[in-house]
Amino acid sequence: MTVRTRFAPSPTGYLHLGHAFSALTAYHFAQDHGGDFILRIEDIDHTRCRPQFEQAIFDDLAWLGLKWETPVLRQSEHLTDYQAALDRLRDMGVLYADSRTRKGQAEAALSAPQGDEVAETTPAPPAWRLSLDAARQHLGARYDALKFNDNPARPEINGDVILGRKDIGVAYHLAVVIDDARQDITHVVRGHDLFDATHTQVLLQALLDLPTPHYTHHALLLDDEGRRLAKRKGSKSLQDYRNAGLSPEDIRTMLDTAPKAQA
Ligand code: GLU
């Protein structure tokens, strides 16, 4: 088996040190196993993604010394595939329409890494939710046996997540499992902030007859005050460091010595 890892950023802002850590962790995992490293652009949310952020991802990762397979898969170019999977799940009877307000939907939704954070109170077009009850019925005994690595998968911790959105078509969970399978990813190496998401993704893999890769969730980098780094909180971007004259080697040293936490 050839090991294949991926780094799958969403171009909704400039990459910060946390992204660099994630990308390098996945990259070195592949290298250590004589495997392949894939870069995937997760840009289904056209309301938040910007071309300049995508370009910056390529520039920043190349500057750090990473190399990846080309052409790079851009999720925005595969929307019909995600839609087909959504239709398949609907035909299977495991989706239901939710016409609550956007705020109501958002409050009930898992705070996925992109999207689902809408705060308006206006009536929303129906969203399509995954029914865990229907999924359990559909899978029978397989539902209780779901697992990743040695962890039992417990999709209940996320509840009935939104998989179909009128504004952008599909939600993150669905696109990510389709592409991890399409790209033959054997090892998903990503931050611990996505550990909970894995429970739902493993269920989707079972429903769609997709393989479950091995998952590694690495510790998250913290800032000097012990908070998680985040684009929206104004953490310094890799470009900021580059413009300030730091080298890729300086960045690697910072990553090695930065405080880290599991959640
Ligand atoms: N696109 C997601 C993000 O930027 C990451 C998806 C993943 O690694 O599974 O947060």
Short mmCIF file of all heavy atoms in Angstrom, two decimals, residues 35-60:
data_model
loop_
_atom_site.label_atom_id
_atom_site.label_comp_id
_atom_site.label_asym_id
_atom_site.label_seq_id
_atom_site.Cartn_x
_atom_site.Cartn_y
_atom_site.Cartn_z
N GLY A 35 5.63 7.81 0.81
CA GLY A 35 4.32 7.98 0.19
C GLY A 35 4.15 9.28 -0.57
O GLY A 35 5.12 9.97 -0.87
N ASP A 36 2.89 9.58 -0.88
CA ASP A 36 2.55 10.78 -1.67
C ASP A 36 1.85 11.80 -0.78
O ASP A 36 1.10 11.44 0.13
CB ASP A 36 1.57 10.42 -2.80
CG ASP A 36 2.08 9.28 -3.66
OD1 ASP A 36 3.31 9.22 -3.87
OD2 ASP A 36 1.26 8.46 -4.09
N PHE A 37 2.07 13.06 -1.14
CA PHE A 37 1.40 14.15 -0.43
C PHE A 37 0.54 14.92 -1.42
O PHE A 37 1.01 15.29 -2.50
CB PHE A 37 2.45 15.08 0.20
CG PHE A 37 1.88 16.34 0.76
CD1 PHE A 37 1.21 16.34 1.98
CD2 PHE A 37 2.01 17.55 0.08
CE1 PHE A 37 0.69 17.52 2.50
CE2 PHE A 37 1.48 18.73 0.60
CZ PHE A 37 0.83 18.71 1.82
N ILE A 38 -0.71 15.11 -1.03
CA ILE A 38 -1.67 15.79 -1.91
C ILE A 38 -2.10 17.11 -1.28
O ILE A 38 -2.35 17.17 -0.07
CB ILE A 38 -2.92 14.88 -2.14
CG1 ILE A 38 -2.63 13.87 -3.24
CG2 ILE A 38 -4.15 15.65 -2.54
CD1 ILE A 38 -2.10 12.59 -2.77
N LEU A 39 -2.20 18.12 -2.10
CA LEU A 39 -2.78 19.39 -1.67
C LEU A 39 -4.16 19.50 -2.31
O LEU A 39 -4.30 19.28 -3.52
CB LEU A 39 -1.89 20.56 -2.11
CG LEU A 39 -2.47 21.96 -1.91
CD1 LEU A 39 -2.68 22.27 -0.44
CD2 LEU A 39 -1.53 23.00 -2.53
N ARG A 40 -5.16 19.79 -1.50
CA ARG A 40 -6.52 19.92 -2.05
C ARG A 40 -7.10 21.27 -1.61
O ARG A 40 -6.99 21.62 -0.43
CB ARG A 40 -7.39 18.79 -1.53
CG ARG A 40 -8.83 18.88 -2.01
CD ARG A 40 -9.56 17.58 -1.77
NE ARG A 40 -9.93 17.38 -0.39
CZ ARG A 40 -9.72 16.25 0.31
NH1 ARG A 40 -9.12 15.21 -0.22
NH2 ARG A 40 -10.10 16.16 1.56
N ILE A 41 -7.70 21.97 -2.54
CA ILE A 41 -8.29 23.26 -2.21
C ILE A 41 -9.77 23.07 -1.93
O ILE A 41 -10.54 22.72 -2.82
CB ILE A 41 -8.07 24.27 -3.37
CG1 ILE A 41 -6.57 24.46 -3.65
CG2 ILE A 41 -8.74 25.60 -3.05
CD1 ILE A 41 -5.78 25.13 -2.56
N GLU A 42 -10.17 23.30 -0.69
CA GLU A 42 -11.57 23.08 -0.29
C GLU A 42 -12.33 24.40 -0.37
O GLU A 42 -12.48 25.13 0.62
CB GLU A 42 -11.60 22.46 1.12
CG GLU A 42 -10.85 21.14 1.16
CD GLU A 42 -11.43 20.12 2.13
OE1 GLU A 42 -11.93 20.50 3.19
OE2 GLU A 42 -11.37 18.91 1.78
N ASP A 43 -12.80 24.68 -1.58
CA ASP A 43 -13.36 26.01 -1.86
C ASP A 43 -14.84 25.94 -2.26
O ASP A 43 -15.26 26.66 -3.16
CB ASP A 43 -12.54 26.69 -2.96
CG ASP A 43 -12.52 25.87 -4.25
OD1 ASP A 43 -12.94 24.70 -4.22
OD2 ASP A 43 -12.10 26.41 -5.29
N ILE A 44 -15.60 25.05 -1.59
CA ILE A 44 -17.02 24.98 -1.97
C ILE A 44 -17.80 26.21 -1.51
O ILE A 44 -18.82 26.53 -2.09
CB ILE A 44 -17.75 23.71 -1.43
CG1 ILE A 44 -17.40 23.48 0.02
CG2 ILE A 44 -17.46 22.50 -2.28
CD1 ILE A 44 -18.16 22.30 0.63
N ASP A 45 -17.32 26.88 -0.48
CA ASP A 45 -18.08 28.02 0.03
C ASP A 45 -17.67 29.30 -0.71
O ASP A 45 -16.78 30.03 -0.28
CB ASP A 45 -17.84 28.17 1.54
CG ASP A 45 -18.77 29.20 2.15
OD1 ASP A 45 -19.43 29.95 1.38
OD2 ASP A 45 -18.84 29.27 3.39
N HIS A 46 -18.37 29.54 -1.84
CA HIS A 46 -17.98 30.68 -2.68
C HIS A 46 -18.23 32.01 -1.97
O HIS A 46 -17.76 33.05 -2.42
CB HIS A 46 -18.72 30.64 -4.02
CG HIS A 46 -20.21 30.67 -3.88
ND1 HIS A 46 -20.89 31.85 -3.70
CD2 HIS A 46 -21.13 29.68 -3.84
CE1 HIS A 46 -22.19 31.57 -3.56
NE2 HIS A 46 -22.35 30.27 -3.65
N THR A 47 -19.01 31.99 -0.88
CA THR A 47 -19.26 33.25 -0.18
C THR A 47 -18.05 33.67 0.66
O THR A 47 -17.93 34.82 1.04
CB THR A 47 -20.49 33.14 0.77
OG1 THR A 47 -20.19 32.20 1.81
CG2 THR A 47 -21.73 32.68 0.01
N ARG A 48 -17.17 32.74 0.94
CA ARG A 48 -16.04 33.06 1.83
C ARG A 48 -14.66 32.85 1.20
O ARG A 48 -13.66 33.33 1.75
CB ARG A 48 -16.14 32.21 3.11
CG ARG A 48 -17.43 32.47 3.88
CD ARG A 48 -17.55 31.56 5.08
NE ARG A 48 -16.47 31.79 6.03
CZ ARG A 48 -15.94 30.84 6.80
NH1 ARG A 48 -16.38 29.61 6.73
NH2 ARG A 48 -14.98 31.13 7.64
N CYS A 49 -14.60 32.10 0.09
CA CYS A 49 -13.29 31.82 -0.51
C CYS A 49 -12.90 32.94 -1.47
O CYS A 49 -13.75 33.52 -2.13
CB CYS A 49 -13.32 30.48 -1.25
SG CYS A 49 -13.59 29.09 -0.12
N ARG A 50 -11.60 33.22 -1.57
CA ARG A 50 -11.10 34.29 -2.44
C ARG A 50 -9.86 33.80 -3.20
O ARG A 50 -9.02 33.12 -2.61
CB ARG A 50 -10.69 35.52 -1.61
CG ARG A 50 -11.80 36.13 -0.77
CD ARG A 50 -12.75 37.02 -1.58
NE ARG A 50 -13.83 37.53 -0.76
CZ ARG A 50 -15.00 36.90 -0.54
NH1 ARG A 50 -15.23 35.72 -1.08
NH2 ARG A 50 -15.92 37.45 0.23
N PRO A 51 -9.76 34.19 -4.49
CA PRO A 51 -8.60 33.74 -5.29
C PRO A 51 -7.26 34.14 -4.67
O PRO A 51 -6.30 33.37 -4.74
CB PRO A 51 -8.80 34.45 -6.64
CG PRO A 51 -10.22 34.90 -6.67
CD PRO A 51 -10.69 35.02 -5.25
N GLN A 52 -7.20 35.32 -4.06
CA GLN A 52 -5.89 35.72 -3.51
C GLN A 52 -5.45 34.82 -2.37
O GLN A 52 -4.26 34.60 -2.15
CB GLN A 52 -5.86 37.20 -3.09
CG GLN A 52 -6.70 37.58 -1.89
CD GLN A 52 -8.11 38.03 -2.29
OE1 GLN A 52 -8.66 37.60 -3.31
NE2 GLN A 52 -8.71 38.89 -1.47
N PHE A 53 -6.43 34.27 -1.65
CA PHE A 53 -6.06 33.35 -0.55
C PHE A 53 -5.56 32.03 -1.13
O PHE A 53 -4.67 31.39 -0.58
CB PHE A 53 -7.25 33.11 0.38
CG PHE A 53 -7.71 34.35 1.11
CD1 PHE A 53 -9.06 34.61 1.30
CD2 PHE A 53 -6.79 35.26 1.62
CE1 PHE A 53 -9.49 35.74 1.99
CE2 PHE A 53 -7.21 36.40 2.31
CZ PHE A 53 -8.56 36.64 2.49
N GLU A 54 -6.19 31.60 -2.23
CA GLU A 54 -5.74 30.35 -2.85
C GLU A 54 -4.30 30.52 -3.36
O GLU A 54 -3.44 29.65 -3.12
CB GLU A 54 -6.67 29.98 -4.01
CG GLU A 54 -6.23 28.69 -4.66
CD GLU A 54 -7.10 28.31 -5.87
OE1 GLU A 54 -8.33 28.27 -5.73
OE2 GLU A 54 -6.51 28.06 -6.93
N GLN A 55 -4.03 31.61 -4.02
CA GLN A 55 -2.67 31.85 -4.52
C GLN A 55 -1.67 31.88 -3.36
O GLN A 55 -0.56 31.34 -3.46
CB GLN A 55 -2.62 33.17 -5.31
CG GLN A 55 -1.29 33.41 -6.02
CD GLN A 55 -0.90 32.26 -6.95
OE1 GLN A 55 -1.71 31.82 -7.77
NE2 GLN A 55 0.32 31.75 -6.81
N ALA A 56 -2.09 32.49 -2.25
CA ALA A 56 -1.19 32.58 -1.10
C ALA A 56 -0.90 31.18 -0.53
O ALA A 56 0.21 30.94 -0.04
CB ALA A 56 -1.82 33.47 -0.02
N ILE A 57 -1.88 30.27 -0.61
CA ILE A 57 -1.64 28.90 -0.13
C ILE A 57 -0.50 28.27 -0.95
O ILE A 57 0.45 27.71 -0.39
CB ILE A 57 -2.93 28.04 -0.26
CG1 ILE A 57 -3.96 28.51 0.77
CG2 ILE A 57 -2.62 26.55 -0.10
CD1 ILE A 57 -5.36 27.91 0.59
N PHE A 58 -0.59 28.40 -2.27
CA PHE A 58 0.47 27.83 -3.12
C PHE A 58 1.82 28.49 -2.80
O PHE A 58 2.85 27.81 -2.66
CB PHE A 58 0.15 28.06 -4.61
CG PHE A 58 -1.09 27.32 -5.07
CD1 PHE A 58 -2.05 27.96 -5.84
CD2 PHE A 58 -1.28 25.99 -4.75
CE1 PHE A 58 -3.19 27.28 -6.28
CE2 PHE A 58 -2.41 25.30 -5.18
CZ PHE A 58 -3.37 25.94 -5.95
N ASP A 59 1.82 29.81 -2.70
CA ASP A 59 3.08 30.53 -2.45
C ASP A 59 3.68 30.16 -1.10
O ASP A 59 4.88 29.89 -0.99
CB ASP A 59 2.84 32.05 -2.48
CG ASP A 59 2.41 32.54 -3.87
OD1 ASP A 59 2.55 31.76 -4.84
OD2 ASP A 59 1.92 33.68 -3.97
N ASP A 60 2.83 30.12 -0.08
CA ASP A 60 3.34 29.85 1.27
C ASP A 60 3.90 28.43 1.39
O ASP A 60 4.95 28.21 1.99
CB ASP A 60 2.21 30.02 2.31
CG ASP A 60 1.82 31.47 2.51
OD1 ASP A 60 2.58 32.36 2.09
OD2 ASP A 60 0.74 31.71 3.09
#
